[in-house]
Amino acid sequence: MTSRKRSGSGSKRPKEKVVYIYELIFRGEDPTSSNSNPEFWNEFFLLQPNVESLEAELLKQTNEQLMGIRGNINELFTRCIEILCSDHPKRVYNSLQTLCALIYAIFKKSSSGTESGFDIINTMVGFSEAEEKMKKLVHHCNEFLLSDTEDCPRDMCLKLLLVLVTGTDNVSQNVLVEYIMINSIFESFVRILSDPPLRALHGHDIVILLTLLVNYRKYEAPNPYIVQLSILADELALNGYGQVISSSLIEFCRQYTQNLAEAQTSSWFSSLSNIVGNMFVSDEGCERMQQIRANNALLLALYEAVHLNRNFIPTLAHSQAESSAPPSPSNTLNASQPVPDLATAPIIDVTQFPTNLLVAVFQYCSIVMQDHKNESSTINLKLCFLILTCISEDQYANSMMHDVNLTFKVLIHRAQMRHRKLPGERISKSQPLAATLLDLLVEFIVSHLMKKFPMELYLLCVGIIHRVLCYQKRCRVRLVYPWKELWAALIGLLKFLVGQEQNLVKKCNIFHLAIQIVNIFNLFITYGDTFLATTNSYDELYYELNREEKVFSEIHAMVLRYTTIPDCEYKDDVLKLLQSLVNILAIIKHFQIKIKEWLDSQNISTPSEEQILEVVRKNYDLTLKLQDSLDQYERYAEKPKHASFFTSMVREVVMDTRKNIYYAIKEAQAAPQANYYLTTP
């Protein structure tokens, strides 16, 4: 075989036969016309696909040219589906890879805005035959996913499904997804998630696929994947779903901790503040932000599971060991399963991997919340807080988090700040997960008091605290916790709102947040006897309220000022806040008088904390107003408040997944096997 010479010198590399056939197809010619071989297509699918060439040939066509060669594209698509019946693994694999490249290129061509969804189907498969052919394609995918054969092209099959689902930025506008709705592959997903070896290989793709399918037109029409995920009770599959998520989050936390330790011993950084600061502005910081954005997909998957399926909740605190199947509570899953003996549950150290999903989420949140300026981190943290909101509303999740026999040591990363000194030991003592959750939320409160105030995040944070306290009050659970740290953080937040009132009131409703904070104190005042672990806690609460009486007096003065403004935008919340302050102000007034009388009688000007506490203990003779609905909250609802957030989040996940999948498909284009070269005349 000879090859064409370049003008001058040197020989031209022969063109791949598969590329030559692509050129014929996209010129509108019949690739079989010059070849009477009836086995043409069988031989074609022995050729290694050239993904980039196929994409390039399609993209350089004009819209008119595409319409002219639509028959050839339909024929190629049809032949790809037909060859999936072959018992030749190489042909099947090449067919799937060709479909990936073809579908990807057609969607990319349509993204210019010149083609409608109808034209995508017509160009790709022909509208009249679309339903039948797509049904066959999904059927073959199901068979491959459920196959027990070792050479099954399961990986490329999942790549194909991901290419289909991520074709358009807005998954709800992707007309091809409708065929996956009609021909469900949910049971195949369950099968793979339930099988540890298969899950290790394909679990990530399965979880991402399921998450995107759940978000298809979720606000517009019934979605069978939402229904199936919400009622899924297969314990192995749910545990597998959680393991896919936890393994990624745990690895992220492990790498962060390792890099942080290396940076602390390096001469490049003089302090932890510099470490964290440089981490988010340097090249390493850019990489960190990309890693955080990459976690959006799995966090979204976790959100959907927690939000839709309460059978998933028990997996949150299970040890994520691949070899073990998790126990489940009898009231949630299979009643024939024995309830685990939590009294014998081991204390799990943070340095032991794998750990459980909830611990991973807590530690992950503590990392993400350290970046105050990056929008990606803010979006990611909001998703984390929405997940924690759903968890804090669940009865079983709360009982699990408050169980004193189920304790964990958790590493909570804390930001270096000038006004506080970090403890040398950053790993928490062994404690229930509810205590760690409160630690995490307190850390957020004290570390985000800045001019660019993240109001939405603070509302979510305070809302989670309120839900946890409502559970404790309702179930009379007495969590041993240093409540003074929470009270101090909340009072500090109120102080910040008062100090920054002029700036913040122009941007957000600070009165609504203040109501939530004050009502948490009212919850302690009114119902603290049902959930505070000791009577001393009540004394300490009243002591803190009196010690910080200036903050509450300033809030009261601020509220009174706004009640006199006739056109105040937040008048209703101003009045509610004024009403919610009644008991706190009464307590402060009562004890200020008692303390002053005692100081005068003892001739003391600077009393100790213990002396003031003693005055508090002896003077509880005051009457407070009973306030309603302190232990009530509005149940979380995704729509309409957070619908736009999730639409935007899903769009980002789709775009990132599409990019990653395309790279994976190109990487699968290994060294050509059985690839023939052809020299054009």
Side-chain angles (χ1 to χ4, degrees):
M1 181 182 293
T2 60
S3 59
R4 185 190 305 174
K5 299 284 185 180
R6 285 180 181 160
S7 59
S9 63
S11 61
K12 184 178 180 181
R13 185 175 182 270
K15 184 180 295 183
E16 295 177 51
K17 183 175 181 179
V18 72
V19 174
Y20 176 67
I21 296 174
Y22 293 159
E23 291 175 350
L24 291 176
I25 292 172
F26 288 101
R27 283 204 301 263
E29 301 178 22
D30 181 359
T32 66
S33 61
S34 60
N35 189 338
S36 59
N37 182 5
E39 295 296 314
F40 172 83
W41 288 108
N42 282 334
E43 292 180 1
F44 171 78
F45 286 110
L46 286 176
L47 302 177
Q48 179 72 33
N50 190 314
V51 174
E52 292 180 331
S53 294
L54 178 57
E55 178 191 355
E57 286 295 327
L58 191 144
L59 292 179
K60 72 182 182 183
Q61 307 295 314
T62 65
N63 292 333
E64 293 76 14
Q65 288 172 329
L66 277 177
M67 290 302 296
I69 62 173
R70 183 170 59 83
N72 275 10
I73 297 175
N74 290 175
E75 176 72 6
L76 177 58
F77 191 89
T78 300
R79 294 291 183 176
C80 286
I81 294 176
E82 289 177 351
I83 210 70
L84 296 179
C85 297
S86 171
D87 56 359
H88 194 293
K90 179 66 175 175
R91 289 193 178 100
V92 172
Y93 189 88
N94 288 345
S95 171
L96 290 170
Q97 196 173 8
T98 302
L99 281 170
C100 287
L102 181 62
I103 295 171
Y104 177 87
I106 290 175
F107 271 119
K108 188 173 183 180
K109 181 69 175 175
S110 73
S111 65
S112 61
T114 58
E115 297 225 16
S116 67
F118 177 88
D119 289 332
I120 290 175
I121 295 179
N122 209 25
T123 301
M124 186 185 309
V125 66
F127 191 73
S128 62
E129 300 180 0
E131 186 172 347
E132 178 186 352
K133 290 181 180 179
M134 290 303 297
K135 182 178 180 180
K136 286 183 178 179
L137 178 58
V138 177
H139 173 73
H140 285 304
C141 289
N142 248 327
E143 287 187 329
F144 294 142
L145 295 179
L146 295 172
S147 175
D148 293 326
T149 58
E150 293 184 2
D151 56 357
C152 172
R154 192 177 287 107
D155 182 64
M156 189 54 65
C157 175
L158 289 170
K159 297 292 187 290
L160 171 61
L161 290 171
L162 283 167
V163 169
L164 278 169
V165 173
T166 60
T168 58
D169 291 350
N170 186 339
V171 69
S172 296
Q173 294 176 353
N174 187 341
V175 291
L176 293 186
V177 178
E178 192 65 38
Y179 296 107
I180 306 179
M181 292 289 120
I182 298 171
N183 306 285
S184 177
I185 50 178
F186 185 83
E187 291 304 320
S188 300
F189 293 167
V190 171
R191 162 80 180 277
I192 292 175
L193 290 174
S194 302
D195 187 299
L198 290 179
R199 179 172 64 244
L201 293 172
H202 311 294
H204 184 274
D205 286 349
I206 292 290
V207 169
I208 300 302
L209 258 175
L210 182 54
T211 302
L212 295 178
L213 290 171
V214 162
N215 281 277
Y216 174 72
R217 302 184 65 187
K218 67 189 302 185
Y219 306 124
E220 306 163 25
N223 182 321
Y225 289 87
I226 291 179
V227 175
Q228 289 171 303
L229 179 59
S230 65
I231 63 175
L232 179 63
D234 187 315
E235 193 172 357
L236 292 175
L238 290 171
N239 188 54
Y241 188 105
Q243 285 179 354
V244 171
I245 300 168
S246 64
S247 61
S248 291
L249 296 184
I250 289 168
E251 178 60 20
F252 176 90
C253 295
R254 188 194 66 79
Q255 289 183 1
Y256 178 87
T257 304
Q258 180 178 332
N259 293 341
L260 195 63
E262 291 173 356
Q264 284 177 312
T265 58
S266 170
S267 59
W268 297 346
F269 304 100
S270 59
S271 68
L272 182 59
S273 176
N274 288 334
I275 293 170
V276 175
N278 284 282
M279 191 169 289
F280 291 115
V281 298
S282 64
D283 291 339
E284 181 184 351
C286 294
E287 180 182 353
R288 182 76 61 196
M289 290 305 98
Q290 291 173 355
Q291 291 174 340
I292 287 176
R293 174 165 171 157
N295 288 324
N296 283 346
L298 290 178
L299 285 175
L300 185 60
L302 175 59
Y303 165 80
E304 297 295 355
V306 169
H307 180 226
L308 294 174
N309 189 332
R310 73 178 308 265
N311 292 329
F312 181 78
I313 296 296
T315 70
L316 293 173
H318 291 150
S319 178
Q320 298 294 305
E322 280 288 342
S323 60
S324 63
S328 63
S330 57
N331 67 330
T332 312
L333 295 178
N334 190 344
S336 64
Q337 294 287 337
V339 177
D341 182 7
L342 298 181
T344 61
I347 293 174
I348 301 177
D349 191 270
V350 71
T351 58
Q352 298 176 350
F353 293 96
T355 182
N356 72 66
L357 180 52
L358 203 49
V359 168
V361 171
F362 290 166
Q363 189 174 342
Y364 177 83
C365 286
S366 73
I367 295 172
V368 176
M369 70 171 57
Q370 291 187 68
D371 180 24
H372 300 168
K373 301 176 181 178
N374 189 280
E375 185 179 356
S376 295
S377 294
T378 301
I379 292 171
N380 196 271
L381 185 57
K382 177 180 176 179
L383 183 53
C384 290
F385 277 177
L386 290 175
I387 291 169
L388 294 177
T389 298
C390 294
I391 291 173
S392 65
E393 286 188 1
D394 186 87
Q395 178 79 7
Y396 180 77
N398 270 303
S399 66
M400 181 176 62
M401 290 193 297
H402 286 84
D403 194 318
V404 295
N405 295 310
L406 193 63
T407 58
F408 298 85
K409 293 182 177 181
V410 183
L411 173 58
I412 298 294
H413 296 274
R414 303 178 189 275
Q416 181 75 30
M417 294 185 292
R418 284 174 294 181
H419 64 276
R420 71 172 182 181
K421 183 177 180 181
L422 293 177
E425 180 61 44
R426 292 184 296 143
I427 299 177
S428 71
K429 64 180 181 180
S430 178
Q431 60 183 5
L433 288 171
T436 303
L437 174 58
L438 291 172
D439 286 343
L440 179 72
L441 299 172
V442 167
E443 175 61 22
F444 174 81
I445 292 173
V446 301
S447 62
H448 287 72
L449 301 175
M450 50 195 179
K451 288 187 177 180
K452 191 177 179 181
F453 189 69
M455 171 61 81
E456 188 174 25
L457 293 180
Y458 267 103
L459 286 171
L460 290 171
C461 175
V462 173
I464 296 167
I465 294 171
H466 184 223
R467 284 162 171 79
V468 171
L469 293 176
C470 287
Y471 168 80
Q472 294 176 8
K473 180 262 177 184
R474 184 171 63 251
C475 298
R476 296 182 175 269
V477 175
R478 300 184 185 277
L479 180 69
V480 178
Y481 187 76
W483 294 110
K484 287 177 65 175
E485 295 181 9
L486 173 62
W487 300 330
L490 292 174
I491 292 172
L493 177 53
L494 287 174
K495 185 176 182 180
F496 179 84
L497 293 179
V498 174
Q500 297 295 320
E501 168 221 337
Q502 294 298 324
N503 294 325
L504 293 177
V505 79
K506 301 173 185 177
K507 306 173 185 177
C508 54
N509 184 356
I510 62 173
F511 304 102
H512 181 55
L513 177 58
I515 291 170
Q516 307 303 314
I517 299 168
V518 171
N519 279 342
I520 286 178
F521 281 104
N522 284 328
L523 190 62
F524 277 102
I525 293 168
T526 308
Y527 300 111
D529 60 320
T530 64
F531 61 87
L532 289 174
T534 65
T535 54
N536 288 339
S537 296
Y538 243 128
D539 303 335
E540 292 171 351
L541 171 62
Y542 281 32
Y543 173 83
E544 289 298 319
L545 293 177
N546 278 274
R547 190 171 69 88
E548 299 288 357
E549 59 87 16
K550 182 180 179 182
V551 175
F552 294 99
S553 297
E554 289 175 345
I555 292 177
H556 186 233
M558 178 186 74
V559 173
L560 288 176
R561 177 159 44 86
Y562 275 93
T563 59
T564 63
I565 301 176
D567 57 345
C568 177
E569 181 181 358
Y570 309 116
K571 197 63 170 286
D572 289 343
D573 283 331
V574 168
L575 296 175
K576 288 179 183 178
L577 179 56
L578 182 62
Q579 185 64 27
S580 65
L581 284 167
V582 170
N583 281 345
I584 294 177
L585 295 175
I587 290 170
I588 290 173
K589 181 179 180 181
H590 172 79
F591 283 103
Q592 288 293 308
I593 294 173
K594 297 296 182 182
I595 291 170
K596 186 177 185 303
E597 290 176 352
W598 184 85
L599 291 176
D600 291 342
S601 67
Q602 300 296 317
N603 196 23
I604 297 176
S605 59
T606 54
S608 66
E609 178 178 338
E610 184 55 40
Q611 288 174 322
I612 298 299
L613 283 171
E614 186 61 28
V615 174
V616 170
R617 293 186 190 103
K618 293 180 179 179
N619 291 279
Y620 275 110
D621 52 335
L622 76 161
T623 302
L624 299 176
K625 181 180 179 181
L626 183 62
Q627 295 180 321
D628 297 327
S629 304
L630 293 176
D631 58 343
Q632 302 295 318
Y633 53 83
E634 183 181 353
R635 296 284 298 182
Y636 171 76
E638 180 179 316
K639 185 183 178 183
K641 189 174 183 180
H642 302 289
S644 60
F645 169 78
F646 282 105
T647 299
S648 177
M649 173 68 72
V650 173
R651 182 185 294 269
E652 281 193 6
V653 171
V654 165
M655 292 189 293
D656 292 345
T657 303
R658 181 171 61 230
K659 181 172 62 176
N660 295 334
I661 289 301
Y662 185 59
Y663 287 147
I665 292 168
K666 288 201 295 186
E667 288 176 2
Q669 188 176 313
Q673 300 176 18
N675 207 2
Y676 306 107
Y677 292 91
L678 181 71
T679 303
T680 55

